[in-house]
Amino acid sequence: MSKSQCAPDEALECCTSLAAEPIDVEQAEKIAPLLKALGDPARLRLMSLILSHEGGEACVCDLLPSFDLSQPTISHHLKVLHDVGLVGRERRGTWVYYSARPAAMAAVGSLFDTAVLA
Amino acid sequence: MSKSQCAPDEALECCTSLAAEPIDVEQAEKIAPLLKALGDPARLRLMSLILSHEGGEACVCDLLPSFDLSQPTISHHLKVLHDVGLVGRERRGTWVYYSARPAAMAAVGSLFDTAVLA
DNA sequence: TGTCAATATTGACGCATGTCGAAATCACAG
DNA sequence: CTGTGATTTCGACATGCGTCAATATTGACA
């Protein structure tokens, strides 16, 4: 059984700025995987390519040409992004479309709100 | 020679939202390490503890009690954060104070600006 | 049904990472 | 200068990660 499920929005509604107060252990363990998933150049670019692609979604064939990596490797990175809930996946015919999940992105972004106060 | 230098602000002035346009390879390779550094629960909590600590800085002895990890492990995580430029380090007497570097935090945060448009 | 194109999974490989205990620095007090 | 507490570095270990080639799956279409 491959557990390729996309993590739902449990982790996505619970976070404020890192600077506001010390984040608690549970929050940290929920959010860190999202940052970790984005902490690879290929996946960061994939996220950006998907976000800035027409309609906010892109199929694998749209993304592949931007990389020197093999197709299985790209597929693997997309699975990582999907597993942590940063992107959604939808099959339409032969193609699989990946789309950004704004709530997850916003959750990560909120960590850095008002971080400019220090 | 241990290269424990703190990466200067090269990577910190060059980034806009991931959604605005596809991030280029060089930017991705500069920013991804920052996200990777934050992609560990212990380091995410360290960052938050430092940011929300009085004066925006904290010595190792302030941070240690919040973790079940050994002191060398905490020191290692702080070094990771320092090496990517997310925190500064200053020795004052016997103690070493770590402080958040707002520019680095802002650089990361800017990736998620307007990501809510999709 | 059978073939083809798009995507995912598997298995393997080296390399990086998180963790610890032990030892080394570093700075101050006596 | 010797000792003591704070912090870093070292060496080692197990685990995780990025990558690929090979194979499997899925869906469209003849």
Side-chain angles (χ1 to χ4, degrees):
Chain A
M1 303 299 166
S2 62
K3 47 160 182 44
S4 169
Q5 324 191 45
C6 161
D9 303 326
E10 323 146 350
L12 310 179
E13 310 155 347
C14 53
C15 31
T16 59
S17 161
L18 286 179
E21 56 181 354
I23 193 177
D24 63 272
V25 185
E26 295 178 6
Q27 268 201 39
E29 286 175 347
K30 283 182 186 171
I31 304 286
L34 306 206
L35 290 160
K36 188 178 194 175
L38 291 173
D40 177 276
R43 289 196 291 265
L44 195 57
R45 290 183 58 216
L46 279 171
M47 200 71 213
S48 183
L49 284 166
I50 293 171
L51 274 165
S52 56
H53 197 263
E54 179 189 9
E57 63 175 14
C59 71
V60 181
C61 58
D62 291 328
L63 302 168
L64 266 180
S66 299
F67 296 85
D68 280 338
L69 301 170
S70 71
Q71 178 269 319
T73 297
I74 296 298
S75 202
H76 161 73
H77 284 312
L78 287 168
K79 176 171 156 40
V80 171
L81 290 172
H82 177 73
D83 285 354
V84 300
L86 278 167
V87 302
R89 168 163 36 194
E90 185 191 356
R91 174 148 226 153
R92 286 209 291 276
T94 307
W95 296 272
V96 174
Y97 288 83
Y98 285 88
S99 54
R101 298 184 60 186
M105 291 294 287
V108 177
S110 68
L111 293 175
F112 304 94
D113 287 350
T114 73
V116 212
L117 54 79
Chain B
M1 304 297 165
S2 62
K3 48 162 180 46
S4 169
Q5 324 192 48
C6 162
D9 303 328
E10 323 146 350
L12 311 180
E13 310 155 346
C14 56
C15 30
T16 59
S17 161
L18 286 178
E21 56 181 353
I23 194 177
D24 64 89
V25 184
E26 295 178 6
Q27 269 201 39
E29 286 174 347
K30 282 182 186 169
I31 304 287
L34 305 206
L35 291 160
K36 187 177 193 174
L38 292 173
D40 177 277
R43 289 196 292 264
L44 195 56
R45 289 182 58 214
L46 279 171
M47 200 71 214
S48 183
L49 284 165
I50 293 170
L51 274 165
S52 55
H53 197 264
E54 180 189 8
E57 64 176 13
C59 72
V60 182
C61 56
D62 290 326
L63 302 168
L64 265 182
S66 300
F67 296 86
D68 279 338
L69 301 170
S70 73
Q71 182 270 325
T73 297
I74 296 299
S75 200
H76 161 73
H77 285 311
L78 287 168
K79 174 170 155 43
V80 172
L81 290 172
H82 176 74
D83 285 353
V84 301
L86 278 168
V87 303
R89 168 165 34 195
E90 186 191 355
R91 174 147 227 153
R92 287 208 290 277
T94 307
W95 295 271
V96 176
Y97 288 83
Y98 285 89
S99 55
R101 299 185 59 188
M105 290 296 287
V108 177
S110 69
L111 293 175
F112 305 94
D113 288 349
T114 73
V116 212
L117 54 78

